[in-house]
Amino acid sequence: MGGLALLVVALSFFLSSPKDSREPPELRPAIPIIGHMIGMFRYTVFYYATLRGSSNVPIFTIVLPGSKMYIISSPPLITAIQKLTKAVSFATMAAKASGRVAGCSDAALEIINNNVDLSKGPESDSFVHSFFKAIVPPLRPGSSLDAMNRIMIENISGSTNALAKRTPTRINLAKWLRREITLATTNAVYGPENPYADEENEQAFWTYEQHIMLFMIGILPSITARKGLQARAKLADAFVQYFTKEAQAKASALAQMRYSCGREWGFSVEDIARFEPGNAIALLSNTFPTAYWMLYYIFSNPKVLEDCRQEIESATKINQGNGTATHTIDVSAIKASCPILASTLQEVLRYRSVGMSVREVLEDTLLDGQYLLKKGGTVVIPSNVLHTDPAHWGADVDDFNHRRFLTKTSNPVAFRAFGGGNTLCPGRHFASTEVMALVCMFIARFEMEPVGGWPSPVVTDVKIWAQIIEPHMDLEVDIRARDLGAGKHVWEFGLTDSELQFALAAEDK
Ligand code: HEM
Ligand SMILES: *[C@@H]1O[C@H](CO)[C@@H](O)[C@H](O)[C@H]1NC(C)=O
Ligand SMILES: *[C@@H]1O[C@H](CO)[C@@H](O)[C@H](O)[C@H]1NC(C)=O
């Protein structure tokens, strides 16, 4: 033990890099050297909030063996860092990680890493920057997003119709939601030849997703991540077939843009196919948990359910004719006139958000004229650090309050569910429309009760790339149709004014 203690002391002397007094204050762990690593392992992303809690500084440094992290917890510093797009970069990290996660060719790696450092050249010389730029317009409110939304609501409507036919019934809520949302989303993006319509490919995606961490670590993946590699290869094959058939020509502007941008930059069809499952992480991993937690918090609280139902009823038109009542839920009307629902969505996102914006410091940089960020350090903005700070949300910060967003919060930059700055989530309009459409249709048509009560929403396993906590995957619920009076009832969606959007980020004015 004595020898070990000596080793620790010697190591900590060796590892404590000379610190510049202008760097953000360092928070040292109780156990030298490995304390932060134990904390991160044990508390995952919530570790940073516990550190912030004891210090209350706007930015702090934590030193790990071989690396240094700057954790930002104040909105003004977030605004400041988001302006430093050259010296502090997300793209360089994305470039390094994406090759490993996709398993692409060396030629593709070269294209990805070329000119990604913006201190060396303009955005237009870099594939990564050009790609992130190119996929924003197809996801912005407008005709191509409309086309995606139409397919998506048609499918959500189909899912709820199929469920209604089976009622009363018992389903596994998470599994049902994940399948239906995955189908609606991928049909909207990939069109009639959507590879994920084949349930085996969908299963392969979730297997692949489980193995991302092992791909990133990259130690003997053929042994440590064998199943993940098989799933990844299966998906790449499916997408090679898809692009070979030119199926993207019948799909969304987003799918077309991703393919044509890749081709323009010189990627082979095989490499573009290998990147598709990675793109699907953003597309699929967070919408379903958001919808799950919406249903969870609405149905587990009668008052929330009543408030939300009332709003939906006022946004629903009923046409009586021929013994049939046709209920039309206008998605645009929900955006325009359902403030409690919108607030509930934001509160769910605030409450269940576990995302981190991560950036690499490419050169010594003075932040806000006072904090020195050293080259090679990593800047981290963990959303929950902002989302759990009473300074921004008040003394009831730990409570779920579905009306919280009806009144203005102190600073919209403190809401980080969709990130911000140049990595602001471009999918937020599509994702929020999908969650709202599903949730509104569901609570208007069904009663739901969990078998054996609501499980407490404990957090077990948070993946480092997740933005929203993964739900319980085994929640059995009893579903029955609501009593809406005699006669036949038909439900459909309307989409009138597509320019309307939910304000979900400081950037959405
Ligand atoms: C409720 C669902 C979603 C949530 C909570 C969410 C959240 C986020 C967050 C927090 C970021 C920023 C990460 C960072 O700062 O590093 C992000 C980035 C991104 N999201 Fe989403 N997202 C969702 C759905 C979607 C969907 C449906 C799509 C695609 C249609 C999408 C596409 C993207 C892309 C491409 C980026 C990277 C942007 C860039 O770095 O330039 N997201 N998302
Ligand atoms: C989903 O939408 C596509 C395209 O509009 C349609 O062909 C398909 O039948 C829909 N599926 C369901 C289950 O509604
Ligand atoms: C009324 O219902 C009958 C029988 O289902 C059908 O033939 C007829 O077309 C319907 N009329 C209208 C206006 O929907």
Side-chain angles (χ1 to χ4, degrees), residues 163-170 478-481:
L163 183 61
K165 279 212 182 93
R166 284 160 58 194
T167 54
T169 183
R170 180 169 288 187
D478 285 323
I479 311 259
R480 57 190 170 79

Side-chain angles (χ1 to χ4, degrees), residues 282-293:
L283 194 64
L284 297 179
S285 296
N286 300 301
T287 313
F288 131 73
T290 306
Y292 176 94
W293 293 118

Side-chain angles (χ1 to χ4, degrees), residues 267-343:
F267 289 94
S268 68
V269 173
E270 286 73 19
D271 277 322
I272 295 179
R274 290 185 182 117
F275 279 111
E276 272 307 323
N279 288 326
I281 301 169
L283 194 64
L284 297 179
S285 296
N286 300 301
T287 313
F288 131 73
T290 306
Y292 176 94
W293 293 118
M294 278 292 273
L295 293 180
Y296 177 99
Y297 284 104
I298 292 174
F299 276 96
S300 61
N301 185 331
K303 180 74 189 119
V304 184
L305 181 59
E306 191 192 314
D307 283 354
C308 290
R309 267 198 185 135
Q310 242 168 35
E311 273 193 351
I312 295 165
E313 270 159 28
S314 63
T316 306
K317 290 211 171 68
I318 306 177
N319 244 317
Q320 299 280 0
N322 219 356
T324 299
T326 305
H327 305 250
T328 307
I329 299 183
D330 191 324
V331 178
S332 317
I334 292 167
K335 294 185 188 181
S337 59
C338 296
I340 296 178
L341 271 161
S343 172

